Amino acid sequence: MEPNYSEYSTTELEDALANIDKERFADRLERIKVELASRQTSEKSSLNTVSDDFEPNEQFFKCPTCEKKIGFFSKTANKWGKKKTCPHCNSPFETSVKLKVFAIALIPALIIHLFILRPLVVSFGLHGAISTGIICGILSFLSIRYRRVRSINVT
C-alpha cells in the first residue's frame, strides 16, 4: 500500500522528508520531493499574481460584489462621495463608517497615543500633532467598510 502524497499537507510532507529511510524508500523520497516542488512553484505563482496588481506593503479593501482588491490609496477608494464604482466589475458600492468599531478602538488608541506614540514622536524632535494624525488615520482606516448599494424596488 503506497501513501498518496497529494493528500498530505506541506508540513506533513516536510516531516516525512526529514524522517524517511532514504535508502529503503528511495522511490517514495523522490515522490515527496516532486510533490513539495510542485506545491512551492504553485505557491510562488499565486503570490506573483497578487503582487502584480499591488505594492508589497499596500493595504486594500475588497469589492463587496466581486471581492477583488481595491487599493486603499487608489482613485476609487479616495473619490469624494459615499457611492463609488468598482474598477473591476463596475458595480456600485457604498462606503460607511462603523461607529461601533470606531468607539471600541477609541480608548485603546487614546492610551497608545498619550503614553507611547506621542512621547516617541516628540523624542525624535517632531511636533506632537503628527502622532494625532497617525492615530486618526489608523482609526479611520479600521472603521471604514464597503457594502453593496441596496436597490429599492418600487411596485
Side-chain angles (χ1 to χ4, degrees):
M1 185 168 165
E2 294 289 319
N4 185 2
Y5 293 118
S6 63
E7 295 177 357
Y8 282 44
S9 70
T10 305
T11 308
E12 290 172 329
L13 285 172
E14 290 170 348
D15 184 50
L17 183 65
N19 297 315
I20 195 168
D21 185 356
K22 294 174 178 47
E23 294 173 6
R24 187 169 168 202
F25 300 107
D27 58 329
R28 290 184 185 180
L29 176 70
E30 196 59 38
R31 288 199 337 241
I32 292 171
K33 286 181 180 179
V34 168
E35 183 67 29
L36 276 171
S38 70
R39 290 186 187 190
Q40 289 173 348
T41 56
S42 68
E43 288 174 4
K44 286 180 183 176
S45 66
S46 69
L47 288 175
N48 288 339
T49 58
V50 171
S51 64
D52 288 343
D53 295 339
F54 296 96
E55 296 294 321
N57 293 330
E58 185 174 2
Q59 299 297 320
F60 56 88
F61 297 106
K62 286 188 177 181
C63 170
T65 305
C66 66
E67 295 191 2
K68 290 191 178 179
K69 296 177 181 178
I70 301 171
F72 182 67
F73 296 109
S74 68
K75 287 182 181 179
T76 302
N78 291 305
K79 277 181 25 181
W80 287 101
K82 191 174 184 179
K83 295 186 180 187
K84 302 176 189 317
T85 305
C86 175
H88 306 290
C89 65
N90 291 325
S91 63
F93 63 91
E94 292 180 345
T95 58
S96 63
V97 176
K98 294 291 184 179
L99 293 176
K100 187 176 183 180
V101 173
F102 184 82
I104 291 170
L106 184 63
I107 299 300
L110 283 173
I111 292 169
I112 291 170
H113 168 66
L114 290 174
F115 296 111
I116 299 171
L117 189 59
R118 186 177 179 129
L120 186 66
V121 168
V122 171
S123 70
F124 284 124
L126 300 171
H127 196 274
I130 292 174
S131 65
T132 305
I134 291 170
I135 289 295
C136 290
I138 290 171
L139 281 175
S140 63
F141 175 73
L142 290 175
S143 60
I144 291 176
R145 298 288 183 263
Y146 289 166
R147 64 179 175 181
R148 291 183 192 161
V149 175
R150 296 181 185 169
S151 60
I152 300 172
N153 294 330
V154 178
T155 57

